[in-house]
Amino acid sequence: MTMELRGARGEGFATVTADGRVLDSWFLHLRLVEEAGKSATVLLTKDEIKRSLGESADGYARHDDVRNVGIVAIQTEIDSLASAPIDVHDAYLRLHLLSHRLVQPNCLNLEGIFSLLPNVAWTTLGPCECPRVPEARILARTRALAFEVTGVDKFPRMTDYVTPADVRIADADRVRLGAYLAPGTTVMHEGFCNFNAGTLGPCMVEGRISAGVVVGSGSDVGGGASIMGTLSGGGKERITVGERCLIGANAGIGISLGDDCIVEAGCYVTAGARILLEDGRVLKARELSGERGLLFRRNSQSGALEATRRTPNWDGLNSQLHG
């Protein structure tokens, strides 16, 4: 995939602690720009808030004494998405661009994002510093406010910031901000999609799409299935799944699949696995990475991993579920 060289600009709100640490940034208005100034974040005035974010955003900037944070209006600019992020605002704008489907996975630089993002208690009142949670909980309950910690992590769930059109997500906790879900995609209850990963067309996701993984249109990631991502091992290999592929239940891959491939249920194909071909040759699976029209299976008698040319034996996605 080609790296996006354009810049980006976004306006929204950031949550800032009493000592000036940024916990998150939420961008309500964002776009790619051909020419951007120096990467930086500035505060918006009251008039700029109304002009950029609309009348409904007026008054949202405030001090929250329950979490002891300030909510401030910001504009963030990135000079080039090919350069590495420089701070929390910059990183969050990139994650928003992915989930708003303005940039596809692996087409913008996310180098160093883990060191930039703080570990945060994600609550029903918004992000909160972890040491503040006990006091915030008492204050919230004293005021009859609902207060629940939904997770402690560097990445929030996507739907708290971006709700893309024409997708189904059965459990919002299973999709991180920075996921790219194309229209027609369904993520079932045990499905998962990490940041900088996702689908390029209608797909069924009942398994795990790890960071850096892209799944092509018309493919099905079966229940309990797993696809190795760029956070695994050396983190260099980018795994892609072609169009109209089926990764069976509890199966997994550490290689890319071309179009029209099937991995049999329960069959895990790692890059170093030895694969028996129909002509008797034995190859390492990485030598078949990206090949189209293959069926990977384990021989039920010999236990050998095999790859054969696929015969039409899968009807594809249910069109009623992914329209």
Side-chain angles (χ1 to χ4, degrees), residues 11-13 28-29 44 48-57:
E11 291 82 30
F13 296 95
L28 286 75
H29 184 214
L44 296 179
E48 288 171 332
I49 293 172
K50 290 182 179 180
R51 187 165 59 249
S52 299
L53 304 176
E55 294 287 341
S56 61

Side-chain angles (χ1 to χ4, degrees), residues 168-170 181-193 198-209 215-225 227 241-242 244-249 314 316-323:
R168 295 168 58 211
I169 302 173
L181 300 181
T185 294
T186 293
V187 183
M188 292 302 290
H189 296 80
E190 295 304 317
F192 174 80
C193 190
T199 62
L200 301 183
C203 289
M204 173 60 79
V205 182
E206 299 178 273
R208 180 180 183 86
I209 301 179
V215 179
S217 179
S219 292
D220 186 327
V221 183
I227 307 171
V241 176
R244 301 173 301 280
C245 290
L246 171 63
I247 303 175
W314 182 53
L317 299 179
N318 185 334
S319 60
Q320 295 183 32
L321 300 179
H322 300 275

Side-chain angles (χ1 to χ4, degrees), residues 144-316:
L145 297 174
F147 185 88
E148 178 185 355
V149 177
T150 60
V152 180
D153 196 5
K154 289 177 176 285
F155 292 81
R157 55 190 180 188
M158 179 183 72
T159 54
D160 287 342
Y161 295 79
V162 182
T163 307
D166 304 316
V167 302
R168 295 168 58 211
I169 302 173
D171 185 347
D173 289 337
R174 308 284 294 177
V175 180
R176 273 175 154 178
L177 181 64
Y180 183 108
L181 300 181
T185 294
T186 293
V187 183
M188 292 302 290
H189 296 80
E190 295 304 317
F192 174 80
C193 190
N194 213 333
F195 74 98
N196 197 34
T199 62
L200 301 183
C203 289
M204 173 60 79
V205 182
E206 299 178 273
R208 180 180 183 86
I209 301 179
S210 302
V213 172
V214 176
V215 179
S217 179
S219 292
D220 186 327
V221 183
S226 180
I227 307 171
M228 288 186 184
T230 52
L231 302 182
S232 305
K236 302 295 184 183
E237 186 71 22
R238 289 177 177 167
I239 305 299
T240 61
V241 176
E243 297 184 353
R244 301 173 301 280
C245 290
L246 171 63
I247 303 175
N250 297 315
I253 55 172
I255 63 170
S256 293
L257 300 179
D259 295 342
D260 302 300
C261 286
I262 292 178
V263 181
E264 182 186 64
C267 181
Y268 210 114
V269 184
T270 59
R274 298 177 67 79
I275 308 293
L276 175 64
L277 304 184
E278 292 174 288
D279 60 9
R281 290 181 298 148
V282 176
L283 300 177
K284 287 189 175 181
R286 65 170 57 93
E287 298 178 66
L288 299 173
S289 184
E291 289 272 343
R292 62 181 300 162
L294 292 178
L295 165 63
F296 293 91
R297 66 188 182 190
R298 188 172 292 278
N299 189 296
S300 61
Q301 296 184 41
S302 68
L305 278 173
E306 299 177 341
T308 64
R309 285 294 159 188
R310 228 195 90 188
T311 55
N313 59 349
W314 182 53
D315 294 331

Side-chain angles (χ1 to χ4, degrees), residues 30 92-108 110 158 162 177-181 195-197:
L30 66 163
Y92 264 87
L93 180 51
R94 293 170 196 250
L95 296 175
H96 277 70
L97 290 168
L98 285 162
S99 290
H100 277 284
R101 302 191 292 234
L102 293 175
V103 180
Q104 291 187 0
N106 302 317
C107 293
L108 74 177
L110 294 175
M158 179 183 72
V162 182
L177 181 64
Y180 183 108
L181 300 181
F195 74 98
N196 197 34

